[in-house]
Amino acid sequence: MKEDILEQFFEVFAPIDRAFVIISNAPEESRNHHYRHNVLYAPTFQMDNSDEKEFETFESTGRKLFSLDELNGLNKRLNIKNKTMKVERRDINFVELNYRYAYDWQPADYVVELKTEEELVAGNLYVYGDAFGHLIPIKHTWMEDVKKESEIAISKSWQVYHSWELKKITELDKRVYVSGDMKFRGKGLVKIRVDYKELNNLIVVGGTITKKSIDFAEIELAIDGETAVHIEYDYTK
């Protein structure tokens, strides 16, 4: 995945030289299942641009069948390009709010948020990102099945650091009331997740609440330099 372009390849192998190849996959199958059972005789050759095409796909009750046609050299391990697609991608510096103690500067978690119009089968994912103005490979990871959208953990962030200053905590009649300041330094898009039972009375100064439900909320802001977000909320203990 380079910027918002995702290229999908199939690695295929079989103990024969030539066959008609169909790759079979169903959502939520294990990683071992993907490797051991989903290729109905397959190999790997690398296509040049003149040979690129999108292979025909059949779907039945959630299972996907990818027809790769008749292939030669199945006893060699080959990479076959299936398709190139444009996705919606956001690189996020993610912070899980934990009020229980104050802490000094720590790196955020670097996460890639991926949205697509179609389901993607699980597999190895090579993620490219911007570092010092250059597009470089930043992570090789395993991607689970994607159903329209997914968050893919990359590493600790090199862009954004954060600290938490707990201002006030009060417990009253099984409710816990929290107030504090989340400080940031660096540059990039930040997402703060607040995840507690029966979360209520959320007040945010310095960021925008983008999601809110009975048990969690998400706050986003873009930073460039140093800034702080004041957060207040209460929840059921």
Side-chain angles (χ1 to χ4, degrees):
M1 182 166 60
K2 296 181 178 180
E3 296 179 324
D4 61 350
I5 300 299
L6 179 64
E7 294 180 310
Q8 184 184 61
F9 294 81
F10 291 129
E11 182 182 72
V12 289
F13 173 81
I16 59 174
D17 179 64
R18 182 184 181 91
F20 187 92
V21 178
I22 296 174
I23 293 181
S24 172
N25 171 270
E28 310 303 332
E29 286 184 332
S30 70
R31 191 179 311 187
N32 286 339
H33 198 157
H34 282 292
Y35 283 123
R36 295 177 183 173
H37 302 294
N38 70 342
V39 178
L40 307 183
Y41 286 121
T44 306
F45 60 90
Q46 181 66 53
M47 296 181 177
D48 59 32
N49 290 337
S50 64
D51 293 324
E52 287 185 11
K53 68 174 181 176
E54 184 171 318
F55 294 103
E56 189 172 7
T57 303
F58 302 91
E59 297 185 29
S60 176
T61 62
R63 177 168 291 277
K64 291 182 173 58
L65 300 179
F66 300 90
S67 173
L68 304 187
D69 298 329
E70 188 167 305
L71 300 178
N72 292 313
L74 294 177
N75 54 355
K76 300 176 182 179
R77 195 171 300 278
L78 309 169
N79 286 312
I80 299 177
K81 187 173 183 178
N82 181 39
K83 66 171 64 175
T84 298
M85 67 190 82
K86 189 171 183 179
V87 297
E88 184 179 339
R89 168 180 171 172
R90 293 200 308 166
D91 289 34
I92 296 171
N93 297 277
F94 177 81
V95 177
E96 185 81 35
L97 180 59
N98 190 331
Y99 73 86
R100 300 179 189 278
Y101 60 91
Y103 57 83
D104 292 325
W105 298 103
Q106 298 181 5
D109 292 315
Y110 199 86
V111 173
V112 170
E113 186 181 82
L114 174 65
K115 294 183 180 180
T116 176
E117 293 301 317
E118 58 185 289
E119 292 185 6
L120 301 176
V121 298
N124 289 308
L125 181 68
Y126 294 83
V127 181
Y128 285 70
D130 182 87
F132 307 106
H134 296 276
L135 192 63
I136 64 171
I138 58 175
K139 183 69 172 183
H140 170 215
T141 187
W142 177 262
M143 181 184 74
E144 300 295 342
D145 294 309
V146 176
K147 300 176 181 177
K148 303 299 184 182
E149 60 182 272
S150 179
E151 285 186 352
I152 302 168
I154 302 298
S155 67
K156 289 296 182 182
S157 176
W158 61 93
Q159 294 182 333
V160 173
Y161 289 77
H162 59 96
S163 66
W164 172 247
E165 182 179 353
L166 182 61
K167 295 287 188 180
K168 182 180 179 181
I169 179 169
T170 305
E171 296 188 24
L172 181 63
D173 193 26
K174 296 185 179 181
R175 296 291 292 178
V176 181
Y177 298 82
V178 179
S179 174
D181 292 337
M182 182 74 73
K183 298 179 181 179
F184 295 98
R185 65 185 182 196
K187 182 177 181 179
L189 178 63
V190 174
K191 178 187 288 186
I192 308 169
R193 181 166 294 163
V194 188
D195 191 359
Y196 294 103
K197 183 180 179 181
E198 296 180 357
L199 181 67
N200 199 12
N201 298 316
L202 178 63
I203 299 174
V204 176
V205 180
T208 301
I209 301 172
T210 55
K211 291 183 181 180
K212 177 71 170 67
S213 72
I214 189 171
D215 291 324
F216 90 102
E218 289 183 352
I219 303 162
E220 292 188 11
L221 67 152
I223 69 166
D224 188 357
E226 292 195 16
T227 191
V229 179
H230 181 74
I231 303 173
E232 298 181 13
Y233 60 94
D234 59 84
Y235 71 97
T236 299
K237 186 176 180 180

